[in-house]
Amino acid sequence: MILNRASVAATDDTTNVFRTGRRTYGQQFDELYSQRLRELKPAASEAASQRWPQVRLTPTVLNVEGPEPTYIVGTVFIDSGSKPSTLQQVESERWVSNLHGSGYREASDSVVFLEDESGRIRLVGKNVEKAILASGIIMAALGVETAEGDFEVADLCFARMAPQSPLPEMAEDKYVALVSGLAMTPDRPISLALQLLAETLCGTLGSNQTQQLAARIAQVVLVGNTMVLPPAPLGHAEDARANDRTPAAKLAKQADDFLADIAANIPMAVMPGADDPADISLPQQPLPRSLLMQCAQYSGFQSLTNPAMLHLDGLQFLGSSGQNVDDLRRYSQEPNKLLAAASLGWRHIAPTAPDTLWCYPFTTHDPFVLHATPHVYFVGNQDKFDSMVTSGPDGQHTRVIMVPRFADSHQVVLLNMRTLECTALEIAA
């Protein structure tokens, strides 16, 4: 059976946003926070002036005085004893594997501050306790100063969703297949489920109806954690075991062979994840061409950053392999899809970086600030498939998708580019 496969015009939009080139780590992180505040404070201030038109703005957080209601704008910082200590991480033998704690806001000593270039002030009250907050968010807080010098919060306001381009009109159904967490390992590089996945995507498996659906898949995106490389054994750097990367090289070759079979049939984009052979600091840079040499021979293959932005037939996609949303979960018990949706309203997809999430110390800009709202925001390596539509005050609408780990769920998410409806297709193994 010959399939007439759907096609799209794909553009990787990460060239000037998430790509860093050669990395140096001599600079400090304070400039990243300053850049973030400079970029988002005007938007948060404007949103606050519209929300509270009769209330005056106090220019800096340390200028708050007296019982008169006012609002201030700054960066959220959450201090908690359960947050990880960078010094302890460095001193421990396996510090990279212990980057995160849990329940930062649930700790009895958790304190929420709002800070700017003048200093910081403690935020108190039930409106703070019930809000979805994390370190690094830029926001406005309405309230009054207490006798103790704290700021009793009556309401909160964020920058709100950035402008969004019009949704392109499409005459026919086309699908994007989102898959994450293939988790190929040296012991089991290509499982039966992965073989069936490849055959399903390529349209060589299943009924005529299944094959016709596969023909409408115009783009495949692998959303991180394609490979799970074995850690180097602990020990002296001259120990042969610590330097033996033969299993990793063999796994990379097997992964390349497998993925090339898919790339030969369908345009495919690959994003790195926490377990892939890539820099752990966000934004993770594209997997090197030398790692996926066979895939790179196909014109429809792209190696993307993480996070990444991708344009398909005018539809704007924002994708993450999951580290940013997983870290937000340590500040809130809300479902991950709500945290991802909330970050669009903050205009920042990784506010906890660099406090509890590793990132590169940018000095000229903050790449995680959103200057445009995507039509689709997908997050990989999640516990289960989930989806919602979040909306902004100016008619913005974004489909938010939680892409489950394939190794656990055997599911691939299919997004209809015309309707933005999505469903999880289970690959029976």
Side-chain angles (χ1 to χ4, degrees):
M1 180 178 180
I2 300 177
L3 299 179
N4 184 20
R5 183 169 295 281
S7 62
V8 294
T11 304
D12 173 6
D13 192 35
T14 62
T15 302
N16 296 317
V17 181
F18 296 123
R19 293 182 187 265
T20 59
R22 186 173 183 273
R23 293 190 169 191
T24 59
Y25 288 87
Q27 59 272 43
Q28 300 296 314
F29 285 100
D30 58 337
E31 189 58 34
L32 177 60
Y33 282 118
S34 298
Q35 288 289 343
R36 183 180 307 174
L37 186 59
R38 279 194 288 267
E39 292 182 45
L40 288 178
K41 187 173 183 177
S45 298
E46 180 181 359
S49 66
Q50 295 175 6
R51 187 178 182 93
W52 312 308
Q54 304 302 320
V55 183
R56 67 176 179 86
L57 165 69
T58 297
T60 62
V61 299
L62 293 189
N63 283 342
V64 174
E65 293 180 356
E68 181 182 353
T70 186
Y71 68 90
I72 50 178
V73 181
T75 306
V76 175
F77 177 74
I78 296 177
D79 191 14
S80 171
S82 64
K83 288 171 66 175
S85 163
T86 302
L87 182 59
Q88 291 175 356
Q89 294 166 15
V90 172
E91 288 178 342
S92 66
E93 287 185 327
R94 300 303 295 270
W95 65 278
V96 171
S97 65
N98 293 304
L99 290 176
H100 305 299
S102 60
Y104 299 155
R105 293 197 65 192
E106 296 175 358
S108 58
D109 62 348
S110 176
V111 181
V112 180
F113 294 96
L114 195 66
E115 59 184 25
D116 60 14
E117 61 277 4
S118 71
R120 63 172 55 166
I121 189 170
R122 180 177 178 177
L123 304 182
V124 297
K126 293 184 178 179
N127 289 292
V128 175
E129 296 171 3
K130 68 182 183 182
I132 299 178
L133 294 177
S135 287
I137 297 171
I138 306 300
M139 74 172 188
L142 169 69
V144 296
E145 185 184 28
T146 67
E148 294 77 18
D150 299 330
F151 194 74
E152 179 81 28
V153 174
D155 197 9
L156 298 173
C157 181
F158 305 95
R160 302 189 301 192
M161 293 173 73
Q164 185 180 56
S165 62
L167 191 67
E169 294 185 4
M170 299 187 184
E172 59 180 350
D173 291 336
K174 299 179 183 179
Y175 292 87
V176 175
L178 303 170
V179 194
S180 73
L182 300 185
M184 303 182 199
T185 66
D187 295 333
R188 194 179 186 189
I190 313 298
S191 65
L192 174 60
L194 285 179
Q195 296 176 16
L196 296 177
L197 169 66
E199 293 177 12
T200 300
L201 293 175
C202 294
T204 60
L205 182 70
S207 63
N208 286 343
Q209 182 179 3
T210 300
Q211 293 183 27
Q212 289 297 333
L213 176 61
R216 306 314 302 163
I217 299 175
Q219 178 75 47
V220 174
V221 182
L222 301 184
V223 197
N225 291 356
T226 300
M227 293 173 270
V228 180
L229 295 178
L234 294 177
H236 195 277
E238 295 180 359
D239 188 334
R241 296 175 305 148
N243 295 299
D244 182 13
R245 306 307 288 163
T246 302
K250 183 179 179 181
L251 173 61
K253 177 64 168 60
Q254 292 171 315
D256 188 24
D257 291 342
F258 171 76
L259 297 179
D261 289 340
I262 302 176
N265 291 274
I266 318 171
M268 182 171 66
V270 178
M271 297 169 56
D275 295 331
D276 286 305
D279 191 336
I280 195 172
S281 299
L282 296 184
Q284 289 180 290
Q285 297 305 285
L287 295 175
R289 182 184 179 89
S290 59
L291 197 68
L292 301 171
M293 293 184 65
Q294 293 192 66
C295 291
Q297 296 177 8
Y298 297 100
S299 59
F301 176 79
Q302 296 183 76
S303 185
L304 304 180
T305 56
N306 169 42
M309 298 195 76
L310 188 67
H311 289 270
L312 300 175
D313 278 359
L315 202 64
Q316 185 173 346
F317 290 76
L318 171 64
S320 159
S321 293
Q323 299 100 310
N324 59 328
V325 176
D326 290 343
D327 201 57
L328 286 174
R329 186 63 185 272
R330 304 181 190 281
Y331 294 82
S332 173
Q333 294 305 307
E334 295 291 339
N336 281 18
K337 68 176 180 180
L338 292 182
L339 298 176
S343 70
L344 297 178
W346 304 331
R347 291 199 194 185
H348 201 286
I349 58 171
T352 61
D355 184 30
T356 55
L357 181 66
W358 282 72
C359 79
Y360 180 72
F362 292 89
T363 58
T364 60
H365 68 293
D366 184 343
F368 307 112
V369 171
L370 293 178
H371 299 286
T373 294
H375 301 112
V376 179
Y377 180 24
F378 58 86
V379 180
N381 300 290
Q382 299 300 291
D383 292 338
K384 63 179 182 178
F385 165 70
D386 210 348
S387 177
M388 65 177 289
V389 174
T390 185
S391 301
D394 300 315
Q396 304 98 322
H397 301 287
T398 298
R399 168 66 66 177
V400 178
I401 305 171
M402 301 293 105
V403 184
R405 288 181 291 272
F406 182 83
D408 298 329
S409 67
H410 293 176
Q411 290 181 331
V412 53
V413 176
L414 296 181
L415 171 77
N416 188 319
M417 294 177 60
R418 182 179 64 85
T419 64
L420 295 190
E421 294 296 323
C422 63
T423 184
L425 175 65
E426 186 156 354
I427 307 297

